[in-house]
Amino acid sequence: MRLLDRAIAAVAPGWASRRAVARVQLRQVERIGGAMRTRRRPDAWRINDPATRRWEARQGKPMSRWDRAMIREIFDLNPFAAKLLNALLNNAIGFGITATLKGSDAERAAWLKWERHCDYDGVLDLYGLQELIACTMFVDGEVFIVLRAEPNPSGIPLQLQVLDADMLDTTAALANTRLRDGIEYEGEGGSGRPVAYHFKKSREIETFGDPVWVPAAQVIHLFKRRRPGMRRGRSHFEPVLDVLEDVDGYLEAEGVRKKIAACFVGFRALRVEAVGPGMGQV
């Protein structure tokens, strides 16, 4: 206790107790407020508010890098969003979608071995890749699976590389071609189908360099096509993002209110009056 507080407590104990309670309440509010600012930004969705998410304004357009980053942050920090995503993944993928293998024992053994070495990054097996692909598609709206002819311990020269939309080189430009957001389409007189994809070499800015040109036949562009002519995917959770933020904010506010209410302390003074030998009255 500071000197001023001790002096006040000696003269006016009630006032000193009220000062102590108010100080505890203030520290509690500052701590919770700082956690809330770290966890969520109130104006985070200003750039992606419902007025700018109308279909007419975004037809055929992908979500911006900023919007994808904000959606990922919500599903990383919002407990309701994380539970929603996990429930969806458990119902869609679970422990992995398996197949009944036919063929000789050697072919089945080769397949089981390839399952363990099919990841181009060497981190996941086939079922882990399934969950990663589904999770990326649900949150980002789209995902790219690149078929790589790479030798690996399984003996089957095929591996799967999973890339998100951030790996598209949107700065690439070629003459006399239809190149949009890193995807090259057939030119005049063609069907407008993708011809190739231009991916960054790395996520590190200093190692971007020239993009890697990958033929469309080697890329699986997985997304949900909601409208005719839609060429890029959008997050499956876009319609409920504002609701998730509102529910999370409401519960946070309730938690702050109850923590502040718990800081209030009341005192009752008892006065004893003597009425006789060995007797007292409150």
Side-chain angles (χ1 to χ4, degrees):
M1 184 181 294
R2 293 178 297 180
L3 180 60
L4 178 60
D5 293 330
R6 288 198 297 267
I8 294 175
V11 178
W15 187 18
S17 66
R18 288 193 294 271
R19 281 171 53 86
V21 170
R23 189 178 297 110
V24 172
Q25 293 173 350
L26 182 60
R27 285 199 298 265
Q28 190 73 261
V29 170
E30 290 176 348
R31 184 181 65 82
I32 298 172
M36 290 177 65
R37 285 192 297 272
T38 303
R39 180 176 171 184
R40 60 195 295 270
R41 292 187 288 271
D43 60 345
W45 280 101
R46 182 175 54 192
I47 195 172
N48 195 27
D49 58 29
T52 62
R53 295 205 298 265
R54 297 191 182 95
W55 171 250
E56 293 81 2
R58 58 186 173 86
Q59 185 173 7
K61 296 181 180 179
M63 302 192 76
S64 67
R65 179 193 268 301
W66 173 265
D67 286 350
R68 286 196 300 268
M70 295 311 306
I71 291 177
R72 293 167 186 167
E73 183 177 1
I74 289 174
F75 281 88
D76 285 340
L77 302 179
N78 188 315
F80 305 101
K83 183 177 181 180
L84 174 63
L85 178 60
N86 289 333
L88 185 58
L89 288 175
N90 288 335
N91 284 276
I93 301 298
F95 292 104
I97 301 174
T98 59
T100 301
L101 303 179
K102 296 182 179 181
S104 63
D105 293 341
E107 291 173 340
R108 288 196 294 269
W111 169 263
L112 294 175
K113 190 175 182 180
W114 180 81
E115 285 181 345
R116 298 191 297 270
H117 301 282
C118 62
D119 185 8
Y120 180 80
D121 297 326
V123 178
L124 303 172
D125 59 5
L126 178 62
Y127 307 109
L129 286 180
Q130 290 178 7
E131 184 179 15
L132 176 64
I133 291 169
C135 180
T136 306
M137 184 186 68
F138 290 148
V139 176
D140 290 359
E142 59 186 345
V143 63
F144 302 89
I145 302 102
V146 182
L147 309 180
R148 300 287 190 182
E150 299 287 341
N152 60 83
S154 70
I156 301 176
L158 173 65
Q159 288 186 309
L160 308 178
Q161 183 182 17
V162 180
L163 301 175
D164 56 29
D166 291 346
M167 288 300 292
L168 282 175
D169 191 345
T170 58
T171 63
L174 297 175
N176 302 322
T177 61
R178 299 178 62 185
L179 185 62
R180 299 177 184 174
D181 298 317
I183 303 178
E184 183 179 344
Y185 299 93
E186 291 184 356
E188 296 295 333
S191 62
R193 297 175 180 173
V195 174
Y197 294 82
H198 297 250
F199 293 110
K200 301 172 185 175
K201 291 182 178 180
S202 171
R203 296 183 184 275
E204 302 296 332
I205 297 178
E206 59 272 12
T207 58
F208 278 179
D210 296 330
V212 178
W213 187 89
V214 181
Q218 298 180 15
V219 179
I220 301 174
H221 185 189
L222 187 61
F223 68 98
K224 183 177 181 179
R225 198 174 195 183
R226 303 179 184 178
R227 300 288 190 279
M230 189 174 179
R231 299 185 181 275
R232 299 290 301 275
R234 300 183 70 88
S235 176
H236 285 54
F237 301 105
E238 194 173 7
V240 299
L241 290 173
D242 297 318
V243 177
L244 289 173
E245 286 284 87
D246 291 342
V247 171
D248 192 28
Y250 166 75
L251 292 179
E252 284 181 343
E254 279 292 308
V256 172
R257 183 179 70 84
K258 292 185 179 298
K259 288 180 179 180
I260 294 176
C263 295
F264 286 95
V265 180
F267 298 93
R268 171 174 291 184
L270 301 179
R271 184 168 56 89
V272 179
E273 296 180 356
V275 297
M279 300 181 59
Q281 179 179 357
V282 178

